[in-house]
Amino acid sequence: MVQLLNITADETKRVVNLAGGPVEIERHRNDMQLITGYLQPMVPIAGVTPVGELEVLACLADDDYVVVDMRDPDWRLKGTIPGSISIPFEEVANRLDLLGCVRSSSGWTCDAAKKVVAFCNGPACPQSTRAMHAMVDNGFPPDKIYYYRGGMQDWLVLGLTTQSSAA
């Protein structure tokens, strides 16, 4: 039996009206998926820039950027993008100092924030999307966030190098 997965938080099917008539689009479980979440938008917050693998590789070599694995630490132990740092999505609002922000009595000041490439498990993973919302809600500028929506799923499918990491 085929397991249906959510396309969005609220739907497992979507009808698309085409010239030849309506077509029902479904999302089925398969062996390529790391998780079964629901599809995330390419631009989860206005001002955030989506990036692909070539941009991530360029950012890894650029000191103006920090590539951040926003997944639960257990996932990171299975492998991550070399050179990335770990800031789990549930902790990012309290760890913005690692991204160049300064904490004060009134909250975070992010005038000197680094450019951040955020990723998690892939297009159906909400962890980095949730983290980006927490960052922006706490004063991080969205135009300094670069979203690698493909995340570890695309990285692995493309055969790119990973490393195990406890950090």
Side-chain angles (χ1 to χ4, degrees), residues 41-54:
M42 290 298 288
V43 179
I45 302 167
V48 169
T49 302
V51 295
E53 294 75 24
L54 294 176

Side-chain angles (χ1 to χ4, degrees), residues 54-120:
L54 294 176
E55 291 82 8
V56 173
L57 290 170
C59 292
L60 285 168
D62 187 331
D63 291 339
D64 290 338
Y65 291 83
V66 60
V67 178
V68 182
D69 184 339
M70 297 186 154
R71 299 175 299 160
D72 180 283
D74 290 341
W75 279 103
R76 189 168 170 85
L77 291 173
K78 297 175 185 178
T80 191
I81 296 173
S84 67
I85 67 167
S86 176
I87 306 177
F89 72 103
E90 293 177 324
E91 299 176 16
V92 73
N94 292 318
R95 297 178 68 191
L96 291 176
D97 56 316
L98 297 174
L99 305 176
C101 299
V102 177
R103 190 190 295 259
S104 68
S105 59
S106 61
W108 290 100
T109 301
C110 297
D111 298 336
K114 297 182 180 229
K115 296 175 185 174
V116 172
V117 177
F119 74 93
C120 56

